Amino acid sequence: MNKIFVNQVGFMPDSKKKAVLNFKAEEFQVIDANGNPVFKGEVSHFGTDEISGEDTYVADFTQVTNQGTYKILAGDVSSASFFVGDNAFDKLMKDVCKCFYYLRCGHGMDKKYAGKYFHEPCHLTKATVYGEDAFPVDVCGGWHDAGDFGRYSTAGAVAVAHLLYGVRFFPMLLDVEFDIPKVSCEKGVLPDILAEVKVELDFLMKMQREDGSVWHKVTTFSHAPFIMPEEDEEELFLFNVSSLATADIAAVFALAYTVYRIVDKEYADKLLNRSLKAYKWLEDHSEAVLFKNADGSNTGEYPENEDYSNRFWAAASLYEATGEKKYYEDALKQKPFIENYDKSDAFKEYTGDIFTCLGWADVAGLGVLSLILQDDESELYTFAKAAILHEADRLVSNGTANGFGLCMKKENFIWGSNMELLKYLMVLTVANVLEPNDKYANTITAGLDYLLGCNSMDVSYVTGNGEKAFKNPHLRPTFAAKLDAWPGLVSGGPNTGLQDERASKLSKNTPPMKCYIDHVDCYSLNEITIYWNSPLVFVLAGLL
Ligand code: G3I
Ligand code: 9MR
Ligand code: ZN
């Protein structure tokens, strides 16, 4: 079928603007809301590529800069509408942030702010320490991870990190308001983003044991059926501690200290103490303590094969928070372990540069962000900067290999491919801070275009944002309540792995970009999680 794929949300006036056609047209027009043509141009033929399965033609309308709502017409085919203007992403940003509020567990919700999406308090009982004869522990609060009700320490730490690095790199994020209850602090009232992040930080503090180590997760033994969170009354278990979770928490608490110390010294000091406690535990346990699900348990595992990048992130983050040389030296010592761990071509093909990976598993890139913030001209700073710029250049070059200008290769279409994309856009965003360049800005724009509708599925992967936004996330609360999904949720997106039953029925020859179904059953294609929303907040913050 002939189609015009376009970002269905919008464009900043000075950004590059393009639509992609999967058919040959002599000419295309941009028409305004009254149907009047404002621009005419010719398409250029790009051809086929290995990711989209389309013979693509590109329609460039960068010259349209006046504020307004438009569509593209070519022959008798019309695109979805989109907006051009300085505030093109304002609603999107608010929606994406508000989703964290809707994912709150425990007593987190208030009808006044949640409206029809309110759910009763949930997961309130104390959690049993799995396999130990210990008193049950109160770990109430935080955010549900995703479509499931699990709460996982590494996943939570990484989502918080994306948001707080967002604040550190782009302080204007502190001005974004998204209609959540106000929270007071020493200096008055917390900015919304810090009030929301505090919910998860408070929970993560509860996940830390007296000895400084951190439980890997708290979940029921098996995933709940598709019921409301408050109806999920199965026993909660705290599964084993891991050095992965402990290091990630050491890192993210140190980062949080650098943000909260400006508004609430006492809270910030508490975070730093907790970080140091976790770090001390890591020093006393130099062997990795990895994580495997208990036999028969099917909730999220978040497995990692080693903890080098986690320890690197913890050291780099504590260095940036305290300025103490000891942590710098620790990060430096950790670096060769990361470098030497897995250098197979397949791994490189899939990850790019390991030092620019931004979670949930490989987190060295988060350490690199701390080193860049420290900006001390040290060997590690120079290394960090070069890693970001080098990876950004690789991504720019990836973008020349398909008609969509998308910085992804076929290997990147795994479970949560939209996060692979958003992590790449974070790298490009940081590169654009370090050395502003149109090539980075244009690749970021093309990535956002893809996410928001300029893709061969012709779908916006953010609920409620775009005329053809996906509608059926794998998400328990809205399904159980028979409601439309909350606006602002990022779908996991196309995944050639096709790992759930419904997805497995798609042909194995489906092009990567089309390995997607907007169906609630498809957890390997269409779930949502906190750490798929969080990198989008960072990227949008870079455009504020
Ligand atoms: O690391 C390999 C790479 O070497 C290989 O080339 C590539 C292609 O096969 O796969 C990579 O591994 C992938 C891994 O994620 C790392 O990204 C696996 O294929 C993929 O199956 C795995 O998916 C994870 C999924 O859980 C299953 O474990 C997702 O990233 C992760 O986001 C998802 O997390 C779930 C939680 O468990 C439970 N809560 C919901 C959440 C989102 O679906
Ligand atoms: O709903 C679960 C989703 O959050 C997870 O990402 C996914 C993989 O762990 O598992 C989903 O739960 C499914 C379970 O694993 C198997 N039975 C069907 C469940 C979904 O309805
Ligand atoms: Zn809950």
Side-chain angles (χ1 to χ4, degrees), residues 104-106 119 122-123 144 149 151 229:
R104 285 189 190 185
C105 185
H119 69 71
C122 58
H123 304 107
H144 296 138
F149 298 135
R151 286 167 291 152

Side-chain angles (χ1 to χ4, degrees), residues 242-264:
S242 68
S243 55
L244 309 162
T246 308
D248 287 6
I249 260 53
V252 83
F253 283 0
L255 168 66
Y257 161 78
T258 68
V259 175
Y260 285 85
R261 70 181 159 189
I262 299 154
V263 284
D264 201 318

Side-chain angles (χ1 to χ4, degrees), residues 183-188 190 194 198 256-257 259-271:
V183 174
S184 53
C185 63
E186 273 170 20
K187 290 274 158 69
L190 283 177
L194 299 191
K198 185 170 181 294
Y257 161 78
V259 175
Y260 285 85
R261 70 181 159 189
I262 299 154
V263 284
D264 201 318
K265 182 83 173 49
E266 195 183 324
Y267 186 64
D269 285 344
K270 192 168 147 194
L271 287 161

Side-chain angles (χ1 to χ4, degrees), residues 503-514:
S504 71
K505 301 204 170 86
L506 275 183
S507 156
K508 297 282 171 279
N509 301 322
T510 309
M513 219 190 260
K514 289 186 173 171

Side-chain angles (χ1 to χ4, degrees), residues 254 332 362 435:
L332 201 57
D362 293 305
E435 284 187 3

Side-chain angles (χ1 to χ4, degrees), residues 9-20:
V9 173
F11 301 85
M12 301 296 257
D14 57 355
S15 76
K16 195 166 161 66
K17 303 176 196 75
K18 62 148 197 330
V20 174

Side-chain angles (χ1 to χ4, degrees), residues 399-474:
T400 61
N402 62 80
F404 296 84
L406 183 66
C407 59
M408 291 168 70
K409 304 215 273 192
K410 64 177 188 316
E411 292 81 4
N412 301 131
F413 288 86
I414 57 170
W415 190 320
S417 63
N418 282 336
M419 184 197 193
E420 297 308 302
L421 168 64
L422 288 167
K423 288 188 295 190
Y424 288 157
L425 299 191
M426 283 180 68
V427 171
L428 287 157
T429 298
V430 176
N432 206 31
V433 169
L434 291 168
E435 284 187 3
N437 192 312
D438 282 351
K439 66 181 175 180
Y440 301 138
N442 293 344
T443 312
I444 295 166
T445 300
L448 280 177
D449 290 351
Y450 168 88
L451 187 79
L452 300 171
C454 192
N455 55 63
S456 61
M457 288 305 302
D458 197 25
V459 66
S460 163
Y461 288 112
V462 185
T463 49
N465 285 267
E467 225 173 276
K468 300 183 214 173
F470 86 105
K471 288 195 161 70
N472 305 293
H474 183 83

